[in-house]
Amino acid sequence: MDELSWQEVVAAISQASTLAELKDWRTRWVGKHGRITELMKGLSDLPPEERRRRGQELNQAREAILAALTQREQVLTDRAEERALEAERWDLTLPGREPDTGMLHPLTRVRRRIEDVLLRLGFSLAYGPQVESEWYNFEALNIPPNHPAREMQDSFFVDIPGLVLRTHTSPVQIRAMEQHQGRLPVKIIAPGLTYRRDDDATHVPMFQQVEGLVVDHGISVADLMGTLTVMVQELLGGSVRTRFRSSYFPFTEPSLEMDVTCAVCQGQGCRVCKETGWVEILGSGLVHPTVLRNGGYDPDQVSGFAFGMGIERIAMRLYGLDDLRLLYQNDLRFLRGFRHQGGLR
Ligand code: PHE
């Protein structure tokens, strides 16, 4: 039976390592034109005795090869299946993939946190335009044209005369008083964007402030200090220490700046706080009589306090940032770092 005996073929088949090899063996030996098939075709030429013997022999060989093929096929298919299962095995202990959901900007969260604290202290929200008249931004706040106080806040003027990008949220003081039409108390906060021609690590040309204004009978510096101290402790934690320094703003008298202990050195003195242990957090004061009058209130009947606080500064402190500009560069690698910041909605 040619160069290989059928036993050798059966042995080779049982060693085959791929299904392709098996197919090859099948075609070559038991296929339509396979070796054994061809030999069987030649049987009719043999004398009857020989034909019987040879026929039995060939049948036996054919059966043996077919059986070997079937058996080996089974083994190889089983193995392939096992390998596939092994490769596709799911590791249920792997951490899940986080869906790429959006989140609020850290500055938005800080602004909302400040609003939360002040709303709980009884303030309500008030708003004013970002393109503001010079009257509301300056004159009504007791900052006359050409007054040197305007130099404190380098302004962006717009093409339409008499309008500026508001340099602070203080114009909302006047707008809120006008809206209250003499009713008491006035107790509002006005968060929003403000603009000044500044640009360095701690100043950006567009920034956010929260203004606060309280007008009522008998409002004093004690109300101012008490309210602001509670607010700052709620925001920055009860262990923060505070102090007030006298200052100057045209729209408050007296004027006070509030400092908090430096977060970097806890008051020991370092480069951030210029070795003083304190950092300024807001400007405030009792509302100037002229400002009350411009808002439609009689300074002989009522008094008030006001404050203005930079939101970015609070964010820098809460998040331990040393460069304010990071907050405005929209770099997702930076912003994603705030994803799991707890406590801020
Ligand atoms: N408007 C002042 C500023 O931007 C802050 C301030 C507000 C001070 C209210 C006193 C009262 O610097």
Side-chain angles (χ1 to χ4, degrees):
M1 206 196 281
D2 210 16
E3 59 296 331
L4 291 177
S5 72
W6 64 263
Q7 288 89 346
E8 283 168 326
V9 173
V10 166
I13 286 173
S14 70
Q15 300 293 312
S17 51
T18 66
L19 290 170
E21 264 174 69
L22 290 184
K23 197 174 165 198
D24 201 47
W25 284 114
R26 187 184 288 277
T27 324
R28 271 167 50 209
W29 290 89
V30 292
K32 227 168 164 192
H33 304 288
R35 188 86 191 118
I36 292 188
T37 322
E38 295 297 332
L39 287 173
M40 281 176 144
K41 279 182 198 155
L43 282 177
S44 50
D45 300 337
L46 298 176
E49 264 311 293
E50 179 86 8
R51 192 193 302 166
R52 235 174 73 91
R53 198 187 47 78
R54 189 77 174 126
Q56 273 175 1
E57 201 180 272
L58 286 175
N59 254 332
Q60 193 193 0
R62 198 180 119 86
E63 296 298 319
I65 291 174
L66 283 175
L69 282 169
T70 313
Q71 202 206 341
R72 192 62 188 161
E73 240 165 44
Q74 192 60 52
V75 169
L76 290 182
T77 337
D78 284 357
R79 261 190 217 169
E81 220 163 83
E82 255 169 55
R83 262 202 304 273
L85 282 177
E86 193 60 39
E88 282 173 22
R89 192 194 216 107
W90 287 9
D91 183 350
L92 299 179
T93 67
L94 282 177
R97 261 180 226 145
E98 236 182 298
D100 203 8
T101 51
M103 54 168 247
L104 291 174
H105 192 279
L107 278 178
T108 304
R109 298 200 203 176
V110 171
R111 192 198 76 228
R112 289 191 179 183
R113 180 157 158 181
I114 296 169
E115 289 170 4
D116 278 352
V117 168
L118 288 161
L119 291 176
R120 269 187 281 130
L121 288 172
F123 288 83
S124 21
L125 286 163
Y127 296 96
Q130 292 171 37
V131 182
E132 185 55 284
S133 73
E134 288 189 52
W135 162 257
Y136 282 110
N137 195 79
F138 296 122
E139 275 97 300
L141 291 166
N142 200 30
I143 313 173
N146 306 317
H147 188 283
R150 289 199 189 190
E151 306 278 314
M152 286 164 71
Q153 305 175 356
D154 270 333
S155 317
F156 287 111
F157 290 90
V158 292
D159 282 345
I160 304 165
L163 294 184
V164 283
L165 297 187
R166 66 180 181 189
T167 57
H168 52 181
T169 43
S170 297
V172 188
Q173 288 186 33
I174 306 291
R175 291 182 174 277
M177 282 190 278
E178 284 178 350
Q179 270 165 18
H180 277 70
Q181 299 184 316
R183 289 188 304 272
L184 292 173
V186 180
K187 194 171 178 186
I188 58 100
I189 51 167
L193 288 166
T194 49
Y195 303 84
R196 286 183 208 174
R197 294 177 45 195
D198 285 330
D199 206 0
D200 60 42
T202 52
H203 297 87
V204 284
M206 182 189 82
F207 59 105
Q208 302 183 50
Q209 288 190 331
V210 181
E211 192 79 10
L213 173 70
V214 176
V215 179
D216 206 347
H217 294 291
I219 296 294
S220 72
V221 171
D223 298 302
L224 179 158
M225 292 171 94
T227 306
L228 295 183
T229 303
V230 169
M231 172 189 79
V232 162
Q233 284 177 345
E234 284 287 310
L235 270 181
L236 303 180
S239 63
V240 71
R241 278 178 297 132
T242 56
R243 74 174 184 188
F244 289 87
R245 282 178 293 107
S246 78
S247 182
Y248 172 75
F249 299 102
F251 34 92
T252 47
E253 182 59 36
S255 300
L256 300 90
E257 273 174 328
M258 188 182 193
D259 293 342
V260 293
T261 36
C262 175
V264 177
C265 64
Q266 316 296 336
Q268 296 305 300
C270 67
R271 282 192 17 218
V272 171
C273 58
K274 299 191 185 84
E275 307 300 334
T276 63
W278 299 96
V279 289
E280 185 207 319
I281 187 173
L282 56 79
S284 64
L286 291 193
V287 184
H288 194 284
T290 303
V291 173
L292 285 173
R293 230 176 267 118
N294 287 337
Y297 287 81
D298 180 355
D300 292 329
Q301 300 296 314
V302 298
S303 54
F305 75 80
F307 63 91
M309 183 167 72
I311 295 182
E312 285 81 359
R313 295 293 172 79
I314 305 288
M316 285 175 82
R317 186 187 176 98
L318 284 174
Y319 294 134
L321 306 175
D322 56 6
D323 193 336
L324 177 61
R325 291 169 294 196
L326 286 169
L327 289 167
Y328 283 106
Q329 280 162 355
N330 288 336
D331 184 336
L332 285 180
R333 291 168 303 176
F334 171 75
L335 294 175
R336 286 214 173 96
F338 294 89
R339 267 185 153 186
H340 301 294
Q341 203 83 64
L344 299 178
R345 74 190 149 96

